Structures are given as structure tokens and as C-alpha cells.
Amino acid sequence: MMKQFCIILAIVLGLNSCTDLIDVQPENATTYTNYFQTRQDAEALLTELLLRLRNGESNRLGLGLIIDEDSRYQSMRNMATGLTADGSSVYRLIYQASLIIENAHRFQIPEEELKPYLLQAYFANAVGYWRLARDYGEMVILRSTTDFTPLAKSSQKELLDEAEKWALKAMDLPVYDELAGLDGPIIKNYGSKGAAAALLAHLYAWRASVANEPEYWAKAEEYCTMIIDQKVGSYQLAINPESVVLDVMKGNNRENIWELENNAQESRYLTNNFVGFPIITSSGYAPVGGYSYGCKIHKTTVNNMYSRNDQRREAYFYGLDADFLYLKNVNGNIVADTSRKDGDNIVKSYDNKTIKQAFIYKFRYPYFHVTDNTPEPQYRGLNQNEIVWRLGGIYLLRAECRARQNKPDAVDDLNLIRRRAYGNMTASGGIVDAAKESEYAYPCAEDVEKGLANNIQLAIFREREKELFQENHRFYDIVRNGYCFLHDKDSYDYIRKELPAAFSYLTDKDIEDGALFSEVSSNFFTNNDLMRQNLFWNRYNQ
């Protein structure tokens, strides 16, 4: 029965496999309901759920990246493809969560033992429908795990309602430090009260702007404040940008609200495409002539983004101001350096003044695989977690919410993140040197120079792109801010000015018809004659 059920589901939703679910109960079980009985059954379902949660989060990263030379994402960035999101992975997640929720009454375990699994399923469902609303605008809301009749797409408002419903239920989760009742170690893949609050904060901000319901800016601010005031968990900003890189981006840090455990050998990150020298010093990643750099950002771009005294400039990028880059042999290992001294075993030197490329230094934990057949270790992926939401981003999201409501205290959150960036923040968020505050506090001289002094909303956007560089936020930040231009022509046109050049040709109608949302891929039309293509992509593909 279960195998037949999985085959049907695979046809309708395009699932790859249900083999993990088949083994929930012994093979001599005779009915579908036998698979939902014990705590071990619930644990098996939750394990599968956590695997599903990791998928579908980073697939649109290439759209918002700041890139000067691009050979990897050109098709996507030129709108030559339908900007397709990984909808199949999202539906696998929703289906897995729904299995737990719909069959909760079948488990023969006490309600209190089952509750932690249900709460995780609520959070996963919220994440799933949030991703559909964010990436597709309109998509199908599943009736149940056993109803496979054709379904028409629901509106973005209905998807956001569905995500909100499950996220509010997930607010009954404990704070992360108090998660209990689950077998095995507690990791930040799990939903928590703080993660649910962060989801609601982003959902309400999206609703306020993209769905043009500005009353939700206050709700988004409210949930940001819950996180900042530690009402939904104990979160704390790292002390400086170097700590962000070494500790926060590694994972399992107090600044992180929700993150996805990463197995380096899976090479899941799209950020893998940008990791090279000096993290990897093997021949294919050399500063000059390396074949690995399909996407490059130039030093001039970095220097335009970050001022000289912004410590993120040094933490996120390597050797920008160095005259030479060196490869040294240190005890048989090849390492990078920007200086040399007597006795150094220099393998290779490069004149950095002639190199246009800036080398990204934000992701510093590579995984190497060594075999008998390879003369040097082979890079296989990043040995660090994928940080979805962290406290630094929440401060800047609250600043955005407050600015949209014309609240003067928006500047406080902006200045706090700048304070850390300039190395002027105490452990409690206070000021180390009051005289230094004028160097960066909004509106500083640089804000005047860059035309930001009278546009705090744009200043916050610029701060988010600097702080959250390559953390998969910029595209969604552009969309969220850009929709305001459709309703207020006096605002900044983020979509046409901040996205790749192909997007500058979009009309207002193109955007309203879904040009920034994903094209519905062909597998969603199988056995569903009620499915319809996104209006823009239907017109574009004709």
C-alpha cells in the first residue's frame, strides 16, 4: 500500500523518491495507517523533514549577486530562462510536514511526546508556503497528502495567509536553548520560537511591500523587536566583522537565528562558486590563470561599496591593498600571504596591483578530499552551515520597517550595524569611542557623497547588501523594496537599477504580471489541467 502511495505521489508532485518513508515500519505492515504509530516512526518522519528543509533555499542566489564578470549565471541574469525556482523540493517539504500533521491522531504515544514533532511540522509548512509565495507569487495549496485531484493556483495573498497560519502555530515552539523532546542532538536546522518570529518578520515585510498592504510594516517591526529584545530566544551580535566571518558564518553561533546544517561533501552552496584563493590555494584556484572563477567581483566595485575604515572590507575580502600576493610552502602545505620575510619558501608571487579581481574571504572553511589518484587535495565544498537569518539582518530589517513608517528611530538600528562594521561597538552594543561615531553615523559624509543623506531607505538597503554580502538576501531585498516604486513613483527604482541589465527593460505591467517570480516548470502541469503559467512567462515564451 505504501509503495503504491509513493508512486502516485511521485507522478503528481514530481518527487524523486519515497524510499525513506517506506522503511518507517517493518515491511510486514499491511496498511498505510500502520506507518504512524511509535515515537520511532515520528522520528523517522522528522529526520526526512529536516533533509527537506535544507533544499530550495539558495536556488535564486545568482539573481541578486553583485558580479562584474559572469559566465555561470548569465542565462538567468539575462532572463533567457524562466528564473525557475526549486518548487519540487518545496512541495516535498510541505508533503512531509503534512504527513506528520494529518496523521498525528494515529500515533500511539502521549500527546506531550508527539507535540515537539508537530511543532516542527508547523514550522516546516510555514517555511514551505513562504518560499512558494516569495518565489512563485501564485502556486497550489495542497488539500491533503491523500487528495490528488487537479488544483488551480492560489493567489499570493492566499499563500501568505497559509504561511502565516502555520508560522503562528509554530510560535508555540520553545526558544532554541530550551528545545527538548526530540531524539538526538538539537541543531539549528530545527525550528524554534526565534526562527518562527524571523519568518513572520520577513513574511509581514514582504506582505507590506510586494502585496501592497502597508499596514503590515508595523507587524514586521513587532516581530523583529521580539527577536532583538530576546523575547523569543537568546541572540547576540558578534563583536566585529572578523568574528562574523570566523564564528557566525561557521554556524552554531549566538547571532544565528536559523541555519541549515551543511555536509561539505554535498557541495550544496551556490557560494561554492565564489570560493577560491586564498581559501583554496591549489593550482586551479590561482590568483591569475585559475580556471575556477566563473563569477568575479572587481576591486573597484568593492572599494565603492566599502569605505577604507569599514572592517567588513578586510574581513570579507582578501588583500585588497596588498602590493603582492604570495604562495608559500609551510611544512609541506601551500598557504597564501600578503607579505614575505627572510626564510620564507616562496612558491609563487603575483603582482596584486595588476589584478582586477577581489578575492572573497567571507567563507573560510573549505573541505578537501584526498585520494590516491590525485596529487593534491581536491576542494569539495564548504564545511560550514548556511545561515538563513541572523541578528545583524534582523536589525536592518527593523530599520527598513521603521523607515517605511517614517519613524525617526530607524536610524538607530542602521547606526548599530555600522558601529560594529567600524569596530566601535562594545559587547553590549554600546559605543567604544564617541568621537568616532560621526565617521559613520547616518547621515555621514559618505552618505552625502553617495546621495543617501535624504534617502534613509536606500541607505538601509546599501547597508544590507554590505552586511549580508552573498548570504542570499539581496535579490529578495530588491524585490521587496522595488515593489514600492510601482505604488510610489517618487521612490527609488530598485528593480530596474539594481538587478542585471535585462531587468531594466521590464515594464510596470511585466512586473505586476510576475516577471520577478519563477516560471512554473513543466512537471507541475502533469496530471493537472487546472495549472496555469505565470502571466508574464506565458507571454514571454510565446
Side-chain angles (χ1 to χ4, degrees):
M1 175 73 176
M2 189 63 173
K3 290 182 180 179
Q4 292 174 336
F5 179 77
C6 287
I7 291 170
I8 294 170
L9 186 68
I11 293 172
V12 175
L13 295 184
L15 304 185
N16 291 334
S17 170
C18 277
T19 54
D20 294 309
L21 294 179
I22 293 171
D23 295 329
V24 173
Q25 276 279 323
E27 291 187 7
N28 62 358
T30 56
T31 67
Y32 172 68
T33 57
N34 287 134
Y35 290 90
F36 307 97
Q37 292 188 350
T38 68
R39 179 167 178 154
Q40 287 72 32
D41 297 341
E43 188 65 29
L45 290 164
L46 181 61
T47 298
E48 186 78 9
L49 184 71
L50 293 177
L51 292 173
R52 302 298 187 202
L53 266 173
R54 297 189 315 149
N55 296 324
E57 184 58 34
S58 298
N59 55 304
R60 310 191 86 202
L61 173 63
L63 287 171
L65 288 171
I66 299 173
I67 300 174
D68 292 305
E69 296 179 48
D70 174 25
S71 64
R72 283 207 177 117
Y73 300 119
Q74 280 184 349
S75 180
M76 176 189 291
R77 293 163 68 86
N78 290 339
M79 300 189 76
T81 63
L83 314 182
T84 304
D86 190 5
S88 294
S89 290
V90 176
Y91 278 107
R92 293 185 193 107
L93 169 64
I94 292 170
Y95 165 74
Q96 191 71 22
S98 299
L99 268 182
I100 299 173
I101 295 167
E102 291 176 16
N103 292 283
H105 65 284
R106 304 186 194 279
F107 285 95
Q108 298 174 16
I109 57 178
E111 183 178 337
E112 282 304 304
E113 283 190 32
L114 183 60
K115 185 177 179 181
Y117 299 91
L118 267 175
L119 289 172
Q120 293 298 326
Y122 296 157
F123 176 72
N125 243 359
V127 170
Y129 283 110
W130 156 240
R131 288 174 177 171
L132 290 179
R134 180 192 66 178
D135 287 341
Y136 285 91
E138 300 175 342
M139 230 346 170
V140 168
I141 295 176
L142 297 186
R143 291 195 186 100
S144 77
T145 59
T146 57
D147 185 348
F148 302 122
T149 55
L151 291 170
K153 291 195 297 185
S154 296
S155 68
Q156 179 172 233
K157 182 181 185 306
E158 290 168 323
L159 288 172
L160 291 170
D161 285 343
E162 190 74 8
E164 179 187 21
K165 177 183 76 176
W166 294 112
L168 289 172
K169 284 177 173 286
M171 285 296 292
D172 287 335
L173 279 160
V175 300
Y176 174 76
D177 292 337
E178 296 176 9
L179 283 177
L182 300 165
D183 291 340
I186 300 299
I187 56 178
K188 283 196 173 178
N189 265 41
Y190 287 111
S192 65
K193 188 181 289 290
L199 192 158
L200 284 164
H202 285 85
L203 185 153
Y204 288 134
W206 189 269
R207 182 161 221 155
S209 181
V210 180
N212 194 25
E213 299 177 276
E215 63 273 18
Y216 280 98
W217 286 120
K219 293 290 290 183
E221 179 191 351
E222 175 188 343
Y223 278 88
C224 288
T225 300
M226 285 184 195
I227 297 168
I228 291 167
D229 290 350
Q230 301 195 39
K231 293 180 179 178
V232 291
S234 180
Y235 304 107
Q236 182 176 341
L237 289 173
I239 190 67
N240 55 44
E242 188 70 9
S243 181
V244 169
V245 169
L246 292 178
D247 304 320
V248 176
M249 300 309 298
K250 172 66 174 172
N252 295 306
N253 182 270
R254 285 191 65 191
E255 180 161 334
N256 298 337
I257 299 165
W258 189 47
E259 60 192 66
L260 303 175
E261 294 285 324
N262 184 51
N263 182 332
Q265 299 178 62
E266 296 175 283
S267 197
R268 291 176 53 250
Y269 273 147
L270 282 185
T271 40
N272 278 333
N273 296 333
F274 300 86
V275 176
F277 181 85
I279 303 304
I280 312 170
T281 54
S282 52
S283 56
Y285 296 86
V288 177
Y291 60 78
S292 59
Y293 297 103
C295 299
K296 298 180 182 180
I297 180 171
H298 292 166
K299 292 175 187 172
T300 52
T301 300
V302 174
N303 288 330
N304 186 54
M305 288 178 64
Y306 299 90
S307 73
R308 289 274 173 170
N309 294 325
D310 187 333
Q311 293 182 8
R312 291 171 300 196
R313 181 176 177 273
E314 296 296 323
Y316 291 7
F317 302 91
Y318 184 78
L320 289 169
D321 303 321
D323 289 333
F324 289 90
L325 303 174
Y326 300 98
L327 292 179
K328 300 179 180 180
N329 187 322
V330 180
N331 299 322
N333 296 314
I334 304 301
V335 299
D337 204 341
T338 57
S339 63
R340 64 182 300 173
K341 57 183 182 291
D342 292 342
D344 282 344
N345 184 355
I346 303 298
V347 176
K348 187 83 172 177
S349 64
Y350 301 90
D351 185 350
N352 193 34
K353 299 184 295 297
T354 67
I355 299 174
K356 292 194 303 182
Q357 179 180 356
F359 300 104
I360 295 172
Y361 201 36
K362 192 175 185 180
F363 308 98
R364 300 191 191 177
Y365 296 94
Y367 170 80
F368 295 94
H369 181 62
V370 179
T371 69
D372 293 337
N373 300 322
T374 55
E376 60 183 358
Q378 300 297 303
Y379 171 67
R380 287 290 181 265
L382 290 169
N383 192 24
Q384 59 188 85
N385 292 345
E386 181 176 358
I387 313 306
V388 182
W389 297 311
R390 60 182 176 93
L391 188 58
I394 291 295
Y395 269 105
L396 291 173
L397 182 62
R398 187 172 74 170
E400 179 182 329
C401 295
R402 288 177 168 177
R404 290 294 182 194
Q405 299 172 81
N406 296 314
K407 291 186 173 182
D409 53 357
V411 72
D412 298 338
D413 291 333
L414 171 61
N415 285 340
L416 178 62
I417 298 304
R418 288 184 173 186
R419 186 176 304 150
R420 175 171 72 175
Y422 281 75
N424 198 32
M425 187 182 80
T426 66
S428 62
I431 301 171
V432 175
D433 181 355
K436 190 177 181 180
E437 186 87 347
S438 62
E439 182 180 344
Y440 55 79
Y442 183 86
C444 64
E446 186 179 1
D447 292 318
V448 174
E449 179 186 343
K450 293 186 176 182
L452 303 176
N454 296 315
N455 192 340
I456 189 171
Q457 188 62 42
L458 184 56
I460 293 166
F461 171 81
R462 294 289 179 225
E463 202 65 33
R464 282 182 63 84
E465 72 179 1
K466 287 188 287 187
E467 175 65 27
L468 303 174
F469 177 78
Q470 247 173 267
E471 293 182 46
N472 198 24
H473 291 279
R474 189 171 182 270
F475 173 71
Y476 299 110
D477 288 352
I478 291 168
V479 175
R480 186 178 61 246
N481 281 282
Y483 261 75
C484 293
F485 183 79
L486 299 182
H487 317 300
D488 177 11
K489 295 303 182 184
D490 292 330
S491 63
Y492 181 72
D493 191 354
Y494 292 82
I495 293 168
R496 297 177 182 94
K497 293 182 179 180
E498 298 296 332
L499 284 173
F503 291 81
S504 66
Y505 297 101
L506 295 175
T507 66
D508 286 1
K509 180 167 177 54
D510 289 337
I511 297 169
E512 290 167 351
D513 285 348
L516 302 180
F517 293 113
S518 176
E519 179 181 10
V520 179
S521 56
S522 59
N523 61 302
F524 286 102
F525 292 85
T526 304
N527 296 330
N528 188 0
D529 56 7
L530 296 180
M531 177 58 73
R532 297 292 181 270
Q533 185 55 269
N534 171 305
L535 285 176
F536 171 81
W537 291 109
N538 184 62
R539 184 167 69 245
Y540 183 91
N541 290 328
Q542 302 225 339

